């Protein structure tokens, strides 16, 4: 079952999955309202969704032109749908309600530009949009979606799929545990059961945790800080926690947590200017950029890259790619495989010319070298999945640091082998050898494996595999296959690390 779920969700970018999730909730509420199963006016709901979306769109277009920013329609629609699920629906004749929705929408979009540090919004846009009406107009958000028990299965199943896609269970569990504990210890013992039921069933507990808490740009990237962040927001969002006479609403608790993110994850957006394009292998190219400021990263980490697409497809204009360059290199290198049938993002990426710019953000990733240089490692790469290993080996070459590493590299043909210069230099200077596997034997040397990297290949090339930690990077089916091989060989899961992105390219 999980394999089927993975196959389905792996074909959807993280942002598109959020959109589908929110749209399903709104569609479900609309249908329940039509059949009068719930007390939600479907006409008011439809009007509110349109009003909020149009208000967000107009505001976003104005700000993108003023700040000369790259418009991101997916992000706009996500924020608009979240607002529609939080703020009470209104009708066209309720002028105060109309004004409230417009006010919240404008400020939610403004949050992305006005409250921005290093081109990254400091606060969760939807949270700020609903917090200001409560603070300034005494019109707090109702979070009406949380009171619809009929939609609980959709909230839970969709939310779990989203968190699974993001791999943010640590953040959500930290929030949930601390929020429940804080709620119970501030209640009398005879209220424990009723308070727990109230929190789980009649507050925005799940929707808030799944959708708003996990928003990538305003949540910390490092695991330990994600846990701290979730705990902090969980405490402040507890209904009985207050400072003097001031009680935190969920959105205010989230905004307070966003301040922690600014301290522990200060890296914002960078503007990268294309310098040149180099052919890395047949069908694979390196896009080499200069950055408007120094970017400090660890070898093997990734960035989210944003392009203003003229002809977007259903996968949007944002992608996650590993940084192929080493941290010591002055330029930022992006290695991708291109094909005529590729996504709109890759097609327009291929049309970039020197001097064109792309925006990158959300530096993250734990697919990095261990601190202990004595730890024995195996790098298993498939195709352009060699990029994080190019970064790691490039950095080891720069430091002239030899480590006990064996590289297994699989491709369709010998012409698809990328970064042969780095791999050869690592073998020559550091004793880090690479074993190649190719499907097409044309041009293959006798020491190459003809076929896929399988259990026999691993046992042959890495006799001491039980003592090593395996790093796997490549297409998702290849990564899954290698994990199965290693588990069949008795390698424990904690000795298997896989490169991770919240969406495919």
């Amino acid at each position: 079952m999980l394999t089927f779920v993975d196959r389905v969700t792996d074909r959807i970018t993280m942002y598109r999955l959020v959109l589908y999730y929110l749209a399903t909730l709104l569609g479900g509420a609309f249908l329940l309202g039509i059949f009068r199963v719930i007390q939600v006016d479907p006409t008011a709901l439809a009007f509110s969704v349109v009003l909020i979306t149009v208000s967000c769109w107009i505001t976003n277009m104005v700000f993108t032109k003023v700040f000369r920013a790259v418009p991101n329609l997916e992000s706009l629609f996500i924020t608009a749908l979240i607002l529609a699920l939080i703020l009470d629906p209104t009708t066209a004749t309720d002028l105060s309600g109309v004004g409230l929705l417009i006010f919240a929408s404008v400020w939610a979009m403004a949050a992305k530009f006005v409250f921005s540090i290093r081109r990254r919004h400091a606060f969760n846009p939807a949270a700020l949009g609903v917090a200001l009406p409560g603070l300034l107009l005494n019109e707090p958000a109702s979070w009406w979606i949380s009171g619809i028990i009929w939609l609980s299965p959709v909230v839970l199943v969709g939310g779990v799929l989203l968190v699974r896609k993001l791999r943010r269970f640590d953040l959500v569990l930290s929030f949930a545990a601390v929020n429940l504990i804080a709620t119970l210890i501030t209640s009398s013992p005879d209220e424990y059961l009723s308070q727990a039921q109230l929190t789980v069933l009649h507050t925005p507990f799940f929707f808030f945790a799944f959708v708003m808490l996990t928003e990538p740009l305003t949540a910390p990237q490092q695991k330990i800080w994600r846990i701290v962040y979730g705990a902090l927001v969980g405490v402040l969002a507890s209904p009985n926690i207050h400072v003097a006479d001031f009680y935190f609403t969920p959105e205010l608790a989230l905004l307070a947590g966003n301040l922690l993110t600014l301290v522990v994850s200060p890296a914002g957006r960078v503007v990268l200017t294309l310098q040149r394009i180099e052919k890395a292998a047949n069908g694979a190219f390196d896009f080499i950029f200069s950055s408007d400021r120094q970017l400090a990263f660890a070898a093997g980490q990734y960035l989210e890259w944003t392009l203003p697409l003229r002809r977007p497809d259903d996968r949007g204009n944002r992608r996650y790619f590993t940084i192929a360059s080493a941290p010591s290199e002055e330029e930022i290198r992006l290695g991708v495989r291109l094909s005529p049938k590729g996504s709109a993002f890759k097609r327009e990426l291929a049309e970039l010319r020197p001097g064109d710019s792309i925006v990158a953000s959300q530096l993250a990733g734990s697919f990095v070298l261990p601190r202990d240089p004595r730890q024995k490692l195996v790098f298993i790469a498939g195709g352009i999945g060699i990029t994080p290993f190019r970064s790691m080996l490039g950095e080891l070459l720069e430091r002239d640091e030899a480590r006990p590493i064996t590289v297994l590299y699989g491709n369709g043909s010998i012409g698809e082998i990328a970064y042969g210069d780095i791999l050869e230099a690592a073998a020559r200077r550091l004793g880090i050898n690479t074993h190649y596997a190719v499907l097409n034997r044309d041009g293959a040397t006798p020491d190459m494996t003809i076929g896929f990297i399988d259990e026999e290949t691993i046992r042959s090339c890495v006799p001491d595999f039980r003592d090593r930690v395996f790093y796997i990077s490549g297409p998702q089916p290849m990564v899954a296959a290698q994990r199965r091989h290693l588990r069949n060989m008795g390698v424990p899961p904690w000795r298997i690390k896989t490169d991770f992105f919240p969406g495919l390219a």
Side-chain angles (χ1 to χ4, degrees), residues 427-438:
R428 185 176 64 257
R429 292 171 46 192
L430 305 179
I432 298 175
N433 295 314
T434 299
H435 181 83
Y436 298 94
V438 292

Side-chain angles (χ1 to χ4, degrees), residues 52 58 133 189 193 282 286 314 331 353 372 378 450 463 472 497:
I52 292 172
I58 293 174
L193 181 59
N282 291 345
D286 275 1
D314 62 356
E331 297 172 313
R353 296 295 177 264
D372 185 359
V378 178
I450 307 302
I472 312 171
K497 294 177 68 71

Side-chain angles (χ1 to χ4, degrees), residues 100 103 127-141 246-249 251-252 255:
L100 176 65
F103 181 85
L128 186 69
V130 299
L132 289 180
L135 292 173
L136 303 178
L137 306 177
N138 196 29
E139 293 283 354
F246 182 81
Y247 286 80
F248 287 86
T249 59
E251 59 269 22
L252 289 175
L255 295 177

Side-chain angles (χ1 to χ4, degrees), residues 372-496:
D372 185 359
R374 298 167 299 178
Q375 175 65 64
K376 295 181 178 181
L377 307 174
V378 178
F379 293 165
I380 303 181
I384 201 62
I386 193 68
T387 50
F389 302 134
R390 184 209 180 277
S391 179
M392 296 177 192
L393 295 176
E395 190 62 12
L396 293 178
L397 286 167
E398 174 65 24
R399 300 201 301 249
D400 200 26
E401 179 182 333
R403 290 199 182 199
I405 299 173
T406 296
V407 182
L408 305 180
Y409 185 19
N411 281 285
S413 66
I414 192 171
E416 295 176 5
I417 295 174
Y419 310 130
D421 56 337
I422 296 290
L423 297 172
E424 291 171 8
R428 185 176 64 257
R429 292 171 46 192
L430 305 179
I432 298 175
N433 295 314
T434 299
H435 181 83
Y436 298 94
V438 292
L439 300 182
N440 188 332
R441 65 176 65 249
D442 292 346
T445 57
D447 59 333
M448 292 182 177
T449 294
I450 307 302
F452 294 103
I453 297 173
D454 55 16
E455 294 181 32
E456 182 180 348
T457 306
I458 297 172
R459 292 179 187 274
S460 173
C461 298
V462 194
D464 59 346
F465 67 89
R466 296 184 187 278
D467 301 327
R468 295 184 178 250
V469 173
F470 288 79
Y471 284 58
I472 312 171
S473 176
Q476 187 59 34
M478 170 265 177
V479 172
Q482 295 305 322
R483 283 183 63 89
R484 287 195 301 272
H485 293 329
L486 294 173
R487 296 295 291 120
N488 290 339
M489 294 166 63
V491 178
W494 57 86
R495 285 186 171 270
I496 305 172

Side-chain angles (χ1 to χ4, degrees), residues 310-329:
R310 293 166 295 174
R311 301 178 297 276
D313 57 15
D314 62 356
R315 299 174 69 184
N317 69 334
R318 293 187 279 192
R319 294 291 187 278
Y320 290 87
F321 292 109
T322 299
I323 304 171
S325 50
S328 55
E329 295 181 56

Side-chain angles (χ1 to χ4, degrees), residues 216-286:
L217 279 178
T218 54
Q221 299 298 332
Q222 289 182 299
K223 183 174 183 177
I224 182 62
W225 287 115
R226 289 201 301 267
I227 294 173
V228 173
Y229 174 76
L232 173 63
V233 177
V235 168
L236 296 179
S238 175
N240 301 324
I241 300 297
H242 59 94
V243 178
D245 293 329
F246 182 81
Y247 286 80
F248 287 86
T249 59
E251 59 269 22
L252 289 175
L254 184 59
L255 295 177
N258 294 160
L259 295 175
L260 172 67
T261 302
L262 291 177
V263 176
V264 302
S265 298
R269 287 186 170 95
V270 293
V271 176
L272 304 175
T273 302
L274 182 64
Q275 300 300 305
R276 63 190 183 279
I277 301 174
E278 296 178 355
K279 184 176 180 179
N282 291 345
F285 298 86
D286 275 1

